Amino acid sequence: MTDALLPANLNLPLHAGRPVTSETPFVRWLLIGIAVLFMIVFLLMPLITVFGEAFASGVGAYFDAISEHDAWAAIKLTLLVAAIAVPANLVFGVAAAWAIAKFNFRGKSIINTLIDLPFSVSPVISGLIYVLLFGARGFLGPWLDRNGVQIIFAVPGIVLATIFVTFPFVARELVPLMQEQGKLDEEAALSLGAGGFRTFMRVTLPNIKWALLYGVLLCNARAMGEFGAVSVVSGHIRGQTDTMPLHIEVLYNDFSYGAAFAVASLLALLALVTLAVKTALEWRYADELAAQRRH
């Protein structure tokens, strides 16, 4: 190929021995320093402050704050809501990802877009939607009241609001991966006589298990920390419908700063445990993860 046939940009001089994406040491250390500074200021310092304030009055006061009746009720309710919302989103996420990645049907692009709806809608608006549907003056409110069913200002409303704001997490982890993997493995299994359920358990699930796990962990962290939507539908009934984030707000507004930071530290600790589990699994199964990415 002659130089006359080469594009003009290929005739530009190259810097021998220097990669195109390389930067000077000063620029590299400047970017690293900015990233580290932001992490210290916006992540580590607030986290250290929360734990410092939580134990400021001593270990005894800390355990008194988190074992108090209303605090313990908020902890149990938070875990209960997460225990219901996360499995529900796991089922929905797998089903939605399977449908979007493996089948072609009318309205597929609409479903794929609607999955991201909770990311673009304010959590407060999400809570108001359920109030308009199930509240005393809502669309279904009178019928629910006649049949003795209470959703708003009760646990079912909190669960529904939490499911709404968290349902994209599992699906969004699975859809790109399953689309990239294609349908060849499942088609091969079916051609060999495997049924649908066996194909999913033996072929699909092993291929998506890490993305599924990450989606579940993220969904669980968001479910335990959700405030906006839950605040609208809970009614703030202390000891009954207050989750941990709502209980922290109540304590802070009551000037019980030590107790508020104690419960906040417990919520932060749950998030840190989630992150630690994710990191430990990545470290333990690093070789398998790398092989899956190459595949």
Side-chain angles (χ1 to χ4, degrees):
M1 183 180 292
T2 63
D3 291 344
L5 297 178
L6 291 173
N9 60 342
L10 294 181
N11 291 320
L12 295 175
L14 298 176
H15 298 283
R18 179 181 175 185
V20 176
T21 57
S22 69
E23 300 291 349
T24 63
F26 172 77
V27 174
R28 289 201 302 269
W29 285 109
L30 178 63
L31 294 175
I32 293 172
I34 292 174
V36 172
L37 179 63
F38 267 70
M39 290 182 64
I40 292 174
V41 173
F42 294 105
L43 294 178
L44 292 181
M45 289 182 62
L47 194 61
I48 293 172
T49 302
V50 167
F51 281 96
E53 291 293 330
F55 288 96
S57 300
V59 176
Y62 176 85
F63 284 104
D64 287 341
I66 63 175
S67 61
E68 185 261 338
H69 176 268
D70 290 343
W72 186 238
I75 293 169
K76 290 192 293 184
L77 179 59
T78 301
L79 297 177
L80 173 64
V81 171
I84 299 173
V86 173
N89 283 319
L90 186 151
V91 173
F92 166 81
V94 172
W98 181 284
I100 292 171
K102 307 298 182 180
F103 303 107
N104 293 317
F105 54 91
R106 189 182 303 273
K108 175 178 176 178
S109 60
I110 297 176
I111 294 177
N112 198 22
T113 302
L114 288 177
I115 289 176
D116 293 329
L117 185 63
F119 287 148
S120 56
V121 175
S122 168
V124 174
I125 295 176
S126 305
L128 287 174
I129 292 172
Y130 285 102
V131 173
L132 292 175
L133 283 174
F134 304 116
R137 298 183 180 180
F139 181 71
L140 298 174
W143 182 87
L144 293 172
D145 185 61
R146 287 195 301 269
N147 290 274
V149 178
Q150 185 174 3
I151 294 179
I152 301 302
F153 306 151
V155 174
I158 297 173
V159 172
L160 288 174
T162 304
I163 290 175
F164 179 86
V165 299
T166 58
F167 82 77
F169 287 96
V170 176
R172 272 291 156 251
E173 287 289 331
L174 294 180
V175 170
L177 176 63
M178 295 178 72
Q179 286 178 328
E180 181 182 356
Q181 291 174 345
K183 300 180 286 187
L184 293 179
D185 292 344
E186 285 81 5
E187 290 173 348
L190 292 173
S191 68
L192 294 173
F197 179 76
R198 188 176 182 184
T199 299
F200 174 79
M201 296 300 296
R202 295 292 184 89
V203 178
T204 304
L205 186 59
N207 288 337
I208 65 171
K209 62 182 180 181
W210 296 115
L212 182 62
L213 178 61
Y214 294 157
V216 167
L217 290 174
L218 292 174
C219 180
N220 182 68
R222 178 62 188 274
M224 290 190 297
E226 175 55 31
F227 177 83
V230 172
S231 178
V232 174
V233 301
S234 71
H236 289 270
I237 305 173
R238 298 187 67 169
Q240 297 183 36
T241 63
D242 270 355
T243 59
M244 291 174 69
L246 301 185
H247 187 61
I248 292 168
E249 182 197 30
V250 170
L251 292 173
Y252 193 83
N253 290 336
D254 288 345
F255 303 102
S256 301
Y257 298 127
F261 279 108
V263 180
S265 70
L266 187 59
L267 188 60
L269 184 61
L270 291 173
L272 291 174
V273 169
T274 301
L275 180 62
V277 170
K278 175 180 177 293
T279 304
L281 290 172
E282 287 180 336
W283 176 80
R284 174 65 177 81
Y285 299 100
D287 294 339
E288 187 176 342
L289 283 168
Q292 183 173 321
R293 292 190 183 101
R294 288 194 297 269
H295 177 70

